[in-house]
Amino acid sequence: MLSFNDVACRRDGKRLFGDVDFVIHAGQKVGLTGANGTGKSSLFAMIRGGLEPDTGSISLQQQVGITHVAQETPSSDRSALDYVIDGDERIRSLQSAIEACPDDQGERLASLLADLEQAGGYTVHSRAGALLNGLGFATQQHQWPVSRFSGGWRMRLNLGQALMSPNELLLLDEPTNHLDLDAVLWLESWLRQREGTLILVSHDREFLDAVTNMTLHIESGEVTLVSGNYTAFERWRAARLVNQQAAHEKAQARRRELQGFVDRFRAKASKARQAQSRLKMLERLGETQAVRPDSPFTFGFRTPDTMPSPLVVLQKADLGYAETTVLNKVNLTVQSGDRIGLLGVNGAGKSTLVKALVGSLALQSGNRVPAQKLRIGYFAQHQVDQLRGDQTPLQALMSHDPTLSETQARTFLGTFGFSGERALQITGTLSGGERARLALSLIVQSRPNLLLLDEPTNHLDIVMRQALADALVAFEGALLVISHDRTMLRAVVDDLWLVAGGELKPFDDDLDGYARWLANQRQSMASESDQVSETDAGSSATGQAGNAVAVNAPAVPDRRTQKRLEAERRTRLAPLSRAVADSERILDKASNRLAMVREKLSDEGLYNEDRKAELTDLLAEELAARQEVDNAEEKLLESMELLESASQASEEKQ
């Protein structure tokens, strides 16, 4: 469907990539990956026709329509629902034609109406409404004018408009950046079910793994198409790097051998011909490249000067704005060493809670008790936006900490990718990811004992996200984080708290359990409207039935009967309980096996050429062990769900 043929691209005199050849077939879902600045946006622009390749050609199958997300949203009085429906240009065109069709052209009008039905015109409002709901818009917001929404919400509207399009090829560039975790999970499910071809730029590993079945990776000026999701690509790349390092070391050894011969015998007439021959062999060897560390970021949080405990306490706190209360009677104590992930649907009050912990939002009632030596590192998008655009990263850091010398400041900034002239670039010209890195560097330098992070991974590429996760794992203070990046959450938090229904409470499950909780919430909301009509229609009959039940209610069983019923219940549930226990043992065994394999893979000597076969076997064993863990986890969940369902049914029966 789409092919690149010997394509090269230069921007501002810099070669981004060249000699690019690949073919994407209809129906494939492709993840476009690579570090920031490698050329992903330029490749997107070439596909759309907005940028011509410097060399080569790009072929797109005829009649294939392309949809991408608009980067700007005009301020208008058009409703959010109508704005999203505008994404289906065919339906809008048919609606305009029907409206303009004269009354005396009945045959043409009938044909247009049939075309409208075929295009889904009679379900367009419900489909657009479902998109808006999935992206986090409340039902009453569907009729709000576009001009009423803020910038981040307008980007969601643009995304909804793109998803509404029936075009075959959909291009999405970082669609999760403006979404909360609940919207990310919905979008993930929606894209999996969408028919058609998708090319997706994302730095969210789990999102890529769930949605894509091909990976197009840009690195070192090369573009490589690999079958499989991002995890499969990483396995392929790891094996390739091992082979590359082995080839490099072999070539270097051969080079040293030849160069030694040349150096020894160049001056001897009897060996001159052989020496010249070796020199030509050296030239033919060419250059090989050693495998280098993937990440240019090597930062870490320094040990806090003090670590009081508790760090901050909220007591019976009502949180909100003006007369509106968002969270009621919040009781939260953040101890030194706590690592909390905050969950909740959009608008539930997660950011409100963080602002209250920071102290930037006054409580409506209750108390906030900070430790005397509390030092908060607070990251949110508005912190990034408040960076002075007329300063360089070096000036920003030295203003933040005047005790640093220029050499110290430059060395520190280098660990965040601002080395050399990059430290002297005006902040206003930096990309979104670079500004986020700079804001993070200022937080790290402040030596906090409590980190409050509100979507810290927005605009960060995969490499920087991993560097941040590694730094957070080693952080010795307390941490509370809001993030739609599940890889980040799984790596750095120990406890999950849920903000829902105006309350804050512990969430006694994992992120997969949260996804199920969200699905149940959506299902409940979808069925509420149906239940309302049924309840109204049958209210009188229900009242009569209720009176009858009250009159004929069974007597409460005595203690002997109750014990017998409980014994029978335990007997019925015993096989299911044993199945759960067996599944837990199988999962523990599989997890231990996986841990042992990964411990073996951590041996640096394993990556030497003479142990290549052993490495290959261990990588295969790790894949099998990981699959075994996945299967065991799935089996355990099934066993637990069966036990829970049977337990509930038994209780209802009693």
Side-chain angles (χ1 to χ4, degrees):
M1 186 195 74
L2 172 68
S3 64
F4 273 50
N5 309 293
D6 197 26
V7 170
C9 176
R10 290 181 178 273
R11 298 301 296 270
D12 300 325
K14 176 185 177 183
R15 182 179 182 273
L16 293 178
F17 47 78
D19 305 323
V20 175
D21 292 281
F22 64 80
V23 177
I24 294 174
H25 299 284
Q28 289 182 333
K29 291 181 167 61
V30 182
L32 177 56
T33 63
N36 287 335
T38 53
K40 298 188 298 297
S41 297
S42 296
L43 193 145
F44 255 28
M46 287 181 174
I47 295 174
R48 298 200 313 267
L51 181 66
E52 290 293 327
D54 291 280
T55 61
S57 62
I58 300 172
S59 302
L60 182 67
Q61 186 178 339
Q62 289 185 352
Q63 308 302 323
V64 171
I66 302 177
T67 296
H68 70 281
V69 179
Q71 296 303 304
E72 295 184 0
T73 312
S75 179
S76 71
D77 293 332
R78 196 163 185 75
S79 73
L81 188 68
D82 283 334
Y83 183 81
V84 169
I85 293 174
D86 289 345
D88 195 328
E89 295 179 354
R90 173 159 174 73
I91 285 180
R92 285 306 195 204
S93 177
L94 287 168
Q95 289 175 337
S96 298
I98 290 170
E99 187 175 346
C101 185
D103 294 339
D104 58 354
Q105 296 185 12
E107 187 174 339
R108 180 169 180 268
L109 179 60
S111 176
L112 288 172
L113 290 171
D115 289 343
L116 183 65
E117 181 179 11
Q118 182 69 25
Y122 297 117
T123 62
V124 68
H125 284 84
S126 62
R127 289 187 287 117
L131 286 176
L132 286 170
N133 289 337
L135 291 172
F137 292 86
T139 302
Q140 61 268 26
Q141 293 177 310
H142 293 189
Q143 299 304 322
W144 284 10
V146 172
S147 58
R148 186 171 174 179
F149 294 98
S150 63
W153 284 98
R154 292 189 189 185
M155 288 305 299
R156 294 195 189 204
L157 288 175
N158 286 350
L159 176 58
Q161 190 179 81
L163 299 182
M164 197 68 194
S165 171
N167 285 338
E168 163 67 24
L169 178 56
L170 176 61
L171 306 178
L172 295 181
D173 191 350
E174 289 288 0
T176 64
N177 267 354
H178 299 279
L179 303 182
D180 292 336
L181 180 54
D182 54 312
V184 169
L185 290 166
W186 173 85
L187 179 62
E188 181 181 288
S189 174
W190 193 92
L191 289 175
R192 280 202 305 264
Q193 298 173 29
R194 177 187 183 269
E195 296 181 358
T197 309
L198 169 70
I199 303 179
L200 165 69
V201 175
S202 178
H203 297 297
D204 186 327
R205 291 169 181 265
E206 292 203 27
F207 189 73
L208 284 168
D209 276 351
V211 173
T212 64
N213 52 30
M214 301 289 292
T215 299
L216 189 65
H217 186 71
I218 307 178
E219 184 176 20
S220 302
E222 297 182 357
V223 181
T224 308
L225 184 64
V226 179
S227 179
N229 60 20
Y230 189 76
T231 294
F233 161 74
E234 282 194 317
R235 288 197 297 268
W236 173 87
R237 183 168 176 265
R240 186 187 184 203
L241 289 175
V242 169
N243 292 334
Q244 177 185 330
Q245 183 67 20
H248 172 74
E249 291 173 357
K250 184 177 181 180
Q252 290 301 97
R254 180 60 173 155
R255 182 180 295 278
R256 287 191 297 270
E257 177 187 333
L258 293 172
Q259 189 66 52
F261 183 91
V262 170
D263 292 342
R264 287 196 305 275
F265 300 112
R266 189 194 301 249
K268 291 187 177 183
S270 62
K271 296 289 186 181
R273 188 182 298 276
Q274 292 93 325
Q276 289 299 320
S277 176
R278 300 302 194 277
L279 281 173
K280 291 180 180 179
M281 290 178 67
L282 276 170
E283 292 173 1
R284 287 197 298 270
L285 273 177
E287 291 293 332
T288 58
Q289 186 176 3
V291 174
R292 303 184 186 280
D294 202 18
S295 176
F297 314 113
T298 56
F299 70 93
F301 291 90
R302 296 182 297 171
T303 301
D305 293 325
T306 60
M307 289 189 286
S309 192
L311 289 161
V312 62
V313 179
L314 294 180
Q315 298 172 329
K316 296 183 179 180
D318 287 346
L319 314 178
Y321 307 89
E323 301 301 320
T324 302
T325 300
V326 178
L327 293 173
N328 299 282
K329 300 295 180 291
V330 172
N331 290 299
L332 176 62
T333 299
V334 181
Q335 304 279 2
S336 181
D338 281 352
R339 312 182 71 79
I340 300 169
L342 207 55
L343 305 177
V345 299
N346 180 71
K350 301 186 298 295
S351 296
T352 300
L353 175 61
V354 171
K355 291 175 184 176
L357 289 170
V358 171
S360 61
L361 177 66
L363 307 185
Q364 293 178 327
S365 65
N367 298 304
R368 173 182 180 268
V369 185
Q372 186 174 0
K373 295 185 178 181
L374 173 66
R375 181 176 290 180
I376 292 176
Y378 176 36
F379 180 94
Q381 185 56 46
H382 71 271
Q383 306 291 108
V384 179
D385 296 337
Q386 288 173 2
L387 291 171
R388 284 182 52 180
D390 60 343
Q391 286 187 328
T392 66
L394 183 61
Q395 290 171 332
L397 179 59
M398 295 185 71
S399 298
H400 182 74
D401 187 352
T403 66
L404 293 175
S405 68
E406 181 174 338
T407 300
Q408 290 173 324
R410 279 180 171 274
T411 300
F412 179 76
L413 286 170
T415 64
F416 284 85
F418 298 105
S419 56
E421 293 300 312
R422 301 292 290 167
L424 302 178
Q425 185 174 344
I426 298 298
T427 301
T429 65
L430 298 177
S431 67
E434 289 168 331
R435 289 196 300 273
R437 291 207 314 264
L438 178 57
L440 281 169
S441 74
L442 300 182
I443 291 175
V444 171
Q445 179 60 29
S446 67
R447 216 163 187 157
N449 48 30
L450 172 59
L451 281 174
L452 301 174
L453 307 179
D454 192 345
E455 295 294 354
T457 61
N458 280 354
H459 305 293
L460 300 182
D461 61 24
I462 288 180
V463 175
M464 181 59 188
R465 290 185 185 205
Q466 186 60 55
L468 176 59
D470 292 342
L472 291 175
V473 167
F475 177 57
E476 297 182 25
L479 168 70
L480 186 145
V481 59
I482 301 169
S483 179
H484 63 256
D485 189 322
R486 284 158 289 172
T487 303
M488 169 76 69
L489 289 175
R490 293 184 201 277
V492 305
V493 306
D494 297 329
D495 301 298
L496 297 173
W497 286 69
L498 177 66
V499 178
E503 297 180 347
L504 172 70
K505 52 189 176 182
F507 186 73
D508 297 324
D509 207 334
D510 58 11
L511 289 173
D512 297 324
Y514 178 62
R516 292 190 294 271
W517 179 86
L518 283 171
N520 291 335
Q521 293 292 108
R522 290 196 186 98
Q523 187 175 2
S524 298
M525 291 177 64
S527 62
E528 276 182 3
S529 57
D530 298 334
Q531 293 176 354
V532 167
S533 58
E534 293 175 4
T535 301
D536 290 343
S539 58
S540 59
T542 301
Q544 294 171 1
N547 292 335
V549 168
V551 171
N552 300 306
V556 177
D558 58 30
R559 289 182 60 187
R560 183 178 300 175
T561 303
Q562 187 68 34
K563 287 184 178 181
R564 179 178 56 79
L565 292 173
E566 289 176 356
E568 291 174 352
R569 177 175 178 271
R570 285 193 298 272
T571 301
R572 287 195 301 271
L573 297 179
L576 296 176
S577 298
R578 285 195 297 271
V580 170
D582 291 340
S583 298
E584 288 174 339
R585 283 193 293 272
I586 293 171
L587 178 57
D588 287 342
K589 184 178 179 181
S591 300
N592 290 336
R593 179 193 171 198
L594 179 59
M596 290 174 62
V597 175
R598 287 179 170 170
E599 185 176 353
K600 292 178 182 178
L601 284 170
S602 66
D603 179 11
E604 294 182 1
L606 185 63
Y607 297 87
N608 295 333
E609 174 63 14
D610 59 349
R611 299 179 67 184
K612 182 179 177 181
E614 183 182 354
L615 174 61
T616 302
D617 292 340
L618 278 175
L619 288 173
E621 188 177 350
E622 187 210 22
L623 178 62
R626 224 165 345 108
Q627 185 62 53
E628 188 178 347
V629 168
D630 291 343
N631 293 339
E633 287 178 342
E634 185 175 350
K635 184 64 177 177
L636 176 59
L637 286 174
E638 291 176 356
S639 301
M640 294 174 70
E641 287 172 357
L642 286 172
L643 176 59
E644 183 179 357
S645 299
S647 180
Q648 290 176 351
S650 180
E651 289 175 356
E652 292 170 359
K653 185 177 180 180
Q654 289 185 9

